[in-house]
């Protein structure tokens, strides 16, 4: 996207013209200006040391697993949720060469998201959990313990920014939930605020009203317009200078054009100032919370790739007030990722959208007893180190208990009745080793065998083979329940529907995002498309 010099901004603001609050968007005549460059603030190697984080390299049908979330603390410290090493790592971005500090997570807490609010640390493990640092250790190596900190509506809303939301107890889904009419944020610059986002009928423009919680009138009215259609629109924060930051997605109606994820910045008066385009590409691994705003207004992006995790300072691109945001991310080369498919379609049951979603939800809802035989020896030394232990995280320490969800098992396959029969006979449950060496004494499903089973197939079609049996949807907005988001050679998710705020709700079998089982997740759609996920529809589906 071309950079745009703000045109008479100072004069317009001085005159009190609230152009950013109206839909009278200006025409796209622009003056070139230097564009801020992205820069690597700190690089972490794979490992467990003070300047390392846990990274599990990808294998066939397995994405890279690494830190799941990044968040800027109230003092400017950057925190990473180092899920593989079960800790939170913190460092000072203005002095990245100084030693990091490590905060060990409490035993039994396996989170996938993290935020800082109300002076405390909160993590998401199916629900928000408040944590506090224990005394001792000189501040560099300490531990976290669960606290009695309030998990209020604002905390819930801040987790929902990236899709961390509790499911309906009856349906285990949220796709039918009403739109969040308000977004609540514990901002750095304005304290507790309430935000309403109102898209127009075309979906290409939004109006955003920002007010103090409890106030009847907004203190700022913001407006944005994109060239195609908005996906997620989430108000992130207000910095200490009063500038406001909104995460948004531009999603074209053609899958191959390239979606884009960006943060729009607004002045304290609500004037649109420009954007930070987030460097999402197919080689960036999936993570839950991949961007954060510091109290000073710096944007940091979490990039996980083979053996390395980078924290990137994202460059700012100025734009003119009212400018239409016309951004295109790189178009993933699906053909280069895909391999030759295999076999003919072999359906084992009715293939309708209802039957597909029912089978998928049954894998997530299945409750079974984790006997000593299915749990296996403890400690579990198989596949230890950064190839991951064999046992999925959600099963650790739960021998003799009832657990929910079919476990992740790389290279395993089978229907739900087959899993139930084998686990009742004492077969080992779950295997999160990411290597091309399946174990045949273990039961469960990996990502593609789960989708194959949900589609009613008796044959396991890998992510590389799925394109041979599932047509590419030209428009990602045409996704319907029972379709898939597939990244050939890496990972696949069963699409369950669009949430009311235009995110993608999925079921997936994942060692990272699901802690080693089949679970329900919600992701911003553009962040998936930019990472190389393609919308696919099973050809045998009776639509």
């Amino acid at each position: 996207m071309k950079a745009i010099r703000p045109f008479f901004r100072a004069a317009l603001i001085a005159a009190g013209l609230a152009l950013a609050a109206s839909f009278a968007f200006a025409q796209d005549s622009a003056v070139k200006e230097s564009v801020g460059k992205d820069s690597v603030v700190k690089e972490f190697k794979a490992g467990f040391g003070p300047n390392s984080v846990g990274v599990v390299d990808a294998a066939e049908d397995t994405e890279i697993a690494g830190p799941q979330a990044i968040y800027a603390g109230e003092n400017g410290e950057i925190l990473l949720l180092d899920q593989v090493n079960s800790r939170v790592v913190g460092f000072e971005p203005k002095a990245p060469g100084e030693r990091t500090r490590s905060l060990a997570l409490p035993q039994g807490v396996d989170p996938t998201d993290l935020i800082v609010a109300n002076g405390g640390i909160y993590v998401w493990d199916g629900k928000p959990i408040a944590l506090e640092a224990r005394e001792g250790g000189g501040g560099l190596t300490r531990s976290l313990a669960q606290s009695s900190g309030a998990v209020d509506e604002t905390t819930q809303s801040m987790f929902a920014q990236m899709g961390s939301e509790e499911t309906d107890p009856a349906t285990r889904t949220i796709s039918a939930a009403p739109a969040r009419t308000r977004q609540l944020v514990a901002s750095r610059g304005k304290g507790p605020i309430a935000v309403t986002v109102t898209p127009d009928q075309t979906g290409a423009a939004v109006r955003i009203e920002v007010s103090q919680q409890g106030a009847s009138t907004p203190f700022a009215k913001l407006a944005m317009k994109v060239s195609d259609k908005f996906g997620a629109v989430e108000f992130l924060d207000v910095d200490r200078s009063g500038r406001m930051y909104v995460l948004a997605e531009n999603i074209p109606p053609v899958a191959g054009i390239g979606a884009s994820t960006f943060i729009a910045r607004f002045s304290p008066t609500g004037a649109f100032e420009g954007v930070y385009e987030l460097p999402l590409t197919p080689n960036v691994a999936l993570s839950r919370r991949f961007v954060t705003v510091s109290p000073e207004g710096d944007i940091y992006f979490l990039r996980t790739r083979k053996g390395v995790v980078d924290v990137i300072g994202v460059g700012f691109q100025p734009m003119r007030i009212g400018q239409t945001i016309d951004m295109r991310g790189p178009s993933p080369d699906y053909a280069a990722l895909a391999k030759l498919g295999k076999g003919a379609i072999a359906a084992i049951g009715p293939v309708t959208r209802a039957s597909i979603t029912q089978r998928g939800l049954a894998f997530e809802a299945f409750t079974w007893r984790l006997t000593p035989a299915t749990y296996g020896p403890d400690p579990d030394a198989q596949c230890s180190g950064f190839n991951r232990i064999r046992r999925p995280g959600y099963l650790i320490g739960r021998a003799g208990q009832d657990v929910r969800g079919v476990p992740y098992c790389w290279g395993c396959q089978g229907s739900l009745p087959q899993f139930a029969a084998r686990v009742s006979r004492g077969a080992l449950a779950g295997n999160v080793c990411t290597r091309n060496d399946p174990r045949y004494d273990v039961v469960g499903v990996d990502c593609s065998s789960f989708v194959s089973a949900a589609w009613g197939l008796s044959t396991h079609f890998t992510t590389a083979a799925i394109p041979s049996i599932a047509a590419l949807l030209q428009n990602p907005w045409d996704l319907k329940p029972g379709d898939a988001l597939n990244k050939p050679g890496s990972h696949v998710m069963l699409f369950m529907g669009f949430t009311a705020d235009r995110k993608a709700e999925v079921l997936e079998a994942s060692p990272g995002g699901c802690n080693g089982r089949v679970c329900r997740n919600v992701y911003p759609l553009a962040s998936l498309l930019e990472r190389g996920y393609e919308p696919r529809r099973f050809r045998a589906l009776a639509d």
Side-chain angles (χ1 to χ4, degrees), residues 56 61-65 68 83 112 388 392-394 408-410 431-434 446-447 491 508-517:
V56 184
D61 274 15
T62 309
E63 274 224 319
I64 297 171
Q68 285 293 297
Q83 186 186 38
T112 56
R388 298 296 292 272
Y394 85 112
Y408 181 90
C409 178
W410 190 88
N431 172 27
V432 293
C433 300
T434 54
D446 63 16
C447 64
H491 188 53
E508 59 177 329
S510 169
C514 294
N515 290 324
R517 62 179 145 188

Side-chain angles (χ1 to χ4, degrees), residues 19 64 68 75 185 256 258 414 526 537 540:
L19 297 181
I64 297 171
Q68 285 293 297
N75 61 354
V185 178
R537 177 162 298 159

Side-chain angles (χ1 to χ4, degrees), residues 27 35 37 61 71 75 92-93 106 158 162 188 194 208 210 222 230 322 328 405 422 425 434 477 483 516 528 530:
Q27 298 298 315
V35 175
K37 300 295 184 182
D61 274 15
Y71 211 91
N75 61 354
E92 171 53 59
M158 291 172 69
M162 295 296 181
R188 277 70 179 269
I208 303 170
V210 190
L222 320 177
F230 277 107
R328 293 287 191 275
R422 292 193 62 191
R425 295 195 294 267
T434 54
W477 293 111
D483 293 335
L528 297 178
E530 288 185 86

Side-chain angles (χ1 to χ4, degrees), residues 273-341:
E273 295 185 334
V275 298
Y276 304 80
E277 186 171 13
L278 302 182
L280 283 160
T281 62
N283 67 346
V284 174
L286 191 63
S287 57
R288 165 62 67 202
R289 187 174 299 272
F290 45 84
V291 67
T292 187
V293 183
S294 78
E296 292 74 34
D298 297 315
I299 306 298
Y300 296 104
F301 176 78
L302 176 63
R303 181 177 70 184
T304 300
R305 48 200 176 93
K306 183 177 175 61
V308 176
V309 173
D310 299 316
V311 175
I312 294 175
V314 184
F316 179 64
Q317 303 182 40
M319 294 185 67
R320 181 162 50 82
I321 293 174
Q323 168 96 21
T324 295
I325 303 171
D326 187 4
M327 307 180 96
R328 293 287 191 275
S331 299
D333 189 351
Y334 299 138
L337 293 171
K339 301 175 183 178
L340 186 65

Side-chain angles (χ1 to χ4, degrees), residues 107-155:
Q107 186 175 6
V109 176
D110 297 301
T112 56
D113 198 358
L114 172 147
I115 65 170
V116 178
N118 306 316
I121 296 175
Y122 298 81
V123 295
W124 184 270
D125 187 5
K127 62 181 180 181
I129 299 173
L131 301 177
E132 60 184 0
R134 288 177 173 167
E135 296 298 327
L140 293 178
T141 302
R142 305 171 70 181
S143 60
L144 293 165
Q146 293 194 42
S147 75
S148 57
V151 180
D152 55 15
E153 187 182 3
T154 298
T155 305

Side-chain angles (χ1 to χ4, degrees), residues 253-482:
V254 179
I257 290 180
S260 182
T261 305
F262 60 92
I263 291 178
R265 191 179 82 191
F266 297 84
S267 75
T269 63
F272 176 53
E273 295 185 334
V275 298
Y276 304 80
E277 186 171 13
L278 302 182
L280 283 160
T281 62
N283 67 346
V284 174
L286 191 63
S287 57
R288 165 62 67 202
R289 187 174 299 272
F290 45 84
V291 67
T292 187
V293 183
S294 78
E296 292 74 34
D298 297 315
I299 306 298
Y300 296 104
F301 176 78
L302 176 63
R303 181 177 70 184
T304 300
R305 48 200 176 93
K306 183 177 175 61
V308 176
V309 173
D310 299 316
V311 175
I312 294 175
V314 184
F316 179 64
Q317 303 182 40
M319 294 185 67
R320 181 162 50 82
I321 293 174
Q323 168 96 21
T324 295
I325 303 171
D326 187 4
M327 307 180 96
R328 293 287 191 275
S331 299
D333 189 351
Y334 299 138
L337 293 171
K339 301 175 183 178
L340 186 65
K342 64 174 184 179
I345 298 173
I348 59 173
V351 187
T352 64
R353 295 199 182 280
S355 65
I356 290 171
T357 56
Q358 287 169 5
R359 277 192 289 264
L361 288 168
F363 273 83
E364 188 276 336
F366 186 67
T367 300
W368 51 285
R369 175 57 61 95
L370 184 60
T371 65
T374 56
Y375 189 76
D378 208 1
D380 182 2
Q382 287 279 9
C383 304
S384 60
F386 287 102
N387 285 324
R388 298 296 292 272
I389 59 172
R390 177 195 67 78
R391 186 174 295 119
Y394 85 112
L395 300 180
I396 294 175
R398 301 193 64 185
Q401 301 179 33
D402 289 338
V403 294
R404 179 175 180 132
V406 173
Y408 181 90
C409 178
W410 190 88
C412 296
Q413 59 180 308
S415 65
L416 185 58
Q418 289 170 330
F419 169 79
R422 292 193 62 191
V423 80
S424 68
R425 295 195 294 267
L428 283 172
N431 172 27
V432 293
C433 300
T434 54
R435 62 172 78 178
N436 295 332
D437 185 17
R439 288 178 56 177
Y440 298 103
D441 61 335
V442 186
V443 294
V445 289
D446 63 16
C447 64
S448 55
S449 63
F450 163 64
V451 172
S452 296
W455 280 351
L457 301 176
S458 58
T459 302
H460 174 194
F461 282 77
T462 68
T463 58
I466 281 176
S468 69
I469 62 169
L472 178 67
L473 296 177
Q474 294 303 312
N475 186 346
W477 293 111
D478 289 339
L479 280 163
K480 297 180 181 179

Side-chain angles (χ1 to χ4, degrees), residues 30-55:
V31 180
K32 291 184 178 180
E33 182 177 294
S34 60
V35 175
K37 300 295 184 182
D38 296 347
S39 61
V40 176
V41 175
K42 189 173 181 66
E43 180 183 275
F44 292 87
K45 299 292 187 183
F48 191 75
N51 290 303
S52 303
V53 291
V55 179

